[in-house]
DNA sequence: AAGACGTGGGG
DNA sequence: TCCCCAAGTCT
């Protein structure tokens, strides 16, 4: 029986006994051990939550912290960000990585300003329609900022469920329908409790049930963990998808954009040529940045971060 | 639906 | 050192 089959078979048999036994311990643990993160404070508001979610996509908390503080101080409301050129968002993004997220956050702020009266929407479908907001982020903002009842499935939660419920060391490479079904089946009925559960399971995955070396000794549900009960078997399925970087266009794009972020004036071609010696790849990377709207070519042959 | 998309820290 | 990994989204 594969992991997917096992998850698929669960929900009906699962219901109350298992889920009810998990909610209390996990939420109690969260009450005692949750980190005091700025976007979890009441004053963060929905905009603060949304900004944090964009920054946290594939980026560790420790690196997000300082940029988040600067960002919220400079642009306390969506309209403040929307009033500036997208290039300023890219510049302020600094070295967080995946700078297209900065562009999308700027575009989302613009949409919020023009379509939603400057208020981050609370409706899941409206959130999902915003640039850069996918299934996870829409659920996260609706749940964390507005206390709604949604299955919030990020990499942490998926790993916790894979282990505790499905008995696998790691979840599948891509989120499956079976995982969504399981997440919904485990969601507490009460709206506020469900929102708490979402944050708690995520935190458990981030602090205790980690990818490499889980600290089962500190896990509130270790006694009910299917993976532990099975003897903590090693991952068997297809290899987990790695990320290549060295020598790729991504690395070249990063170097090019770093130059433009630092520059206050448009940058001449020669300055960009200096970051990478292979001309074909260099040109392809620059073209890609322009196509993505991260870089603006000017008529005189210079380049800058986008003004419009 | 597999692959592109940045960056840096920890084991 | 090198490899793995980090609150995903989009095409």
């Amino acid at each position: 029986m594969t992991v997917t089959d096992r998850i698929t078979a669960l929900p009906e048999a699962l219901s109350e006994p298992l889920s009810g036994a998990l909610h209390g311990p996990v939420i109690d643990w969260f009450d005692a051990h949750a980190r005091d993160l700025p976007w979890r404070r009441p004053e963060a508001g929905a905009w603060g939550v949304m900004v944090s979610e964009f920054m946290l996509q594939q980026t560790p908390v420790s690196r997000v912290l300082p940029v988040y503080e600067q960002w919220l101080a400079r642009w306390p409301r969506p309209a403040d960000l929307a009033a500036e050129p997208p290039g300023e968002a890219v510049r302020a993004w600094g070295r967080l990585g995946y700078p297209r997220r900065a562009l999308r956050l700027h575009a989302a702020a613009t949409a919020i300003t023009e379509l939603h009266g400057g208020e981050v929407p609370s409706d899941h479908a409206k959130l999902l329609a915003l640039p850069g907001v996918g299934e996870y982020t829409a659920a996260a903002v609706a749940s964390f900022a507005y206390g709604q009842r949604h299955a919030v499935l990020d990499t942490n939660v998926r790993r916790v469920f894979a282990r505790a419920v499905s008995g696998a060391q790691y979840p599948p490479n891509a989120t499956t329908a079976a995982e969504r079904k399981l997440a919904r089946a485990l969601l507490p009925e009460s709206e506020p409790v469900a929102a708490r559960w979402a944050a708690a399971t995520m935190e458990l995955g981030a602090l205790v049930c980690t990818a490499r070396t889980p600290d089962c000794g500190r896990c509130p549900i270790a006694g009910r963990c299917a993976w532990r009960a099975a003897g903590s078997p090693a991952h068997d399925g297809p290899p987990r998808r790695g990320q290549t970087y060295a020598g790729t266009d991504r690395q070249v794009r990063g170097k090019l954009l770093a130059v433009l972020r630092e520059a206050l004036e448009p940058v001449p071609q020669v300055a960009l040529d200096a970051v990478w010696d292979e001309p074909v790849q260099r040109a392809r990377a620059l073209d890609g940045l322009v196509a993505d709207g991260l870089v603006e070519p000017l008529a005189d042959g210079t380049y800058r971060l986008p003004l419009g």
Side-chain angles (χ1 to χ4, degrees):
Chain A
M1 181 184 248
T2 69
V3 173
T4 299
D5 292 337
R6 188 155 44 230
I7 295 173
T8 306
L10 278 171
E12 265 57 61
L14 174 69
S15 60
E16 277 324 294
L18 175 55
S19 67
L22 298 178
H23 297 160
V26 171
I27 291 175
D28 288 348
W29 171 87
F30 185 62
D31 289 340
H33 300 286
R35 291 168 292 180
D36 175 29
L37 300 170
W39 44 86
R40 285 180 178 162
R41 298 177 193 142
E43 60 265 31
W47 173 238
V49 171
M50 172 168 278
V51 169
S52 76
E53 291 304 337
F54 269 76
M55 292 183 172
L56 288 163
Q57 291 169 5
Q58 301 283 280
T59 306
V61 167
S62 60
R63 287 177 42 214
V64 165
L65 247 14
V67 182
Y68 171 86
E69 299 289 8
Q70 294 173 29
W71 194 284
L72 266 293
R74 181 172 175 183
W75 298 306
R77 298 163 306 174
D80 300 317
L81 176 58
E84 295 219 36
E88 280 308 296
V90 174
R91 196 189 307 279
W93 198 253
R95 308 187 66 78
L96 281 185
Y98 292 148
R100 47 176 49 169
R101 290 181 294 165
L103 226 41
R104 289 176 182 150
L105 181 50
H106 181 275
T110 302
I112 291 168
T113 303
E114 294 176 353
L115 272 38
H116 304 295
E119 295 295 323
V120 175
S122 60
D123 179 66
H124 185 277
K126 290 187 170 70
L127 287 165
L128 197 53
L130 295 171
V133 176
E135 181 184 342
Y136 161 75
T137 302
V141 173
S143 181
F144 301 156
Y146 294 112
Q148 293 173 22
R149 183 174 180 275
H150 291 284
V152 181
L153 261 190
D154 79 322
T155 189
N156 290 304
V157 177
R158 294 180 61 221
R159 188 173 55 249
V160 168
F161 290 174
R163 289 176 182 165
V165 182
S166 310
Q169 185 179 22
Y170 297 115
N173 276 335
T175 305
T176 62
E179 286 182 276
R180 295 187 182 92
K181 187 175 181 181
L182 172 60
R184 273 183 268 117
L186 287 171
L187 211 49
E189 284 303 322
S190 151
E191 188 174 40
V193 177
R196 197 79 181 152
W197 165 254
T201 47
M202 201 175 303
E203 190 78 336
L204 185 62
L207 298 183
V208 174
C209 193
T210 55
R212 209 168 311 189
T213 52
D215 189 354
C216 302
R218 292 197 304 135
C219 180
I221 54 173
R224 298 182 162 279
C225 179
W227 182 55
R228 290 205 89 205
S232 307
H235 180 70
D236 55 355
R240 316 181 60 212
R241 230 182 72 210
Q243 315 167 13
T244 52
Y245 183 65
T248 61
D249 288 3
R250 294 161 72 183
Q251 184 178 21
V252 185
R253 288 166 57 108
K255 287 178 176 296
L256 290 170
L257 209 54
V259 171
L260 292 162
R261 271 199 313 265
E262 300 309 312
L264 270 31
E265 298 296 322
V267 172
Q269 180 80 52
V270 290
L272 295 177
D273 290 348
V275 309
W276 198 257
D277 56 7
E278 207 294 291
V280 174
Q281 187 177 29
R282 191 178 63 221
R284 186 173 64 232
L286 183 54
D287 285 349
L289 288 170
V290 172
D292 289 348
L294 283 162
V295 172
E296 212 166 74
L298 302 183
D300 64 358
T302 62
Y303 296 86
R304 71 180 174 204
L305 297 180
L307 228 43

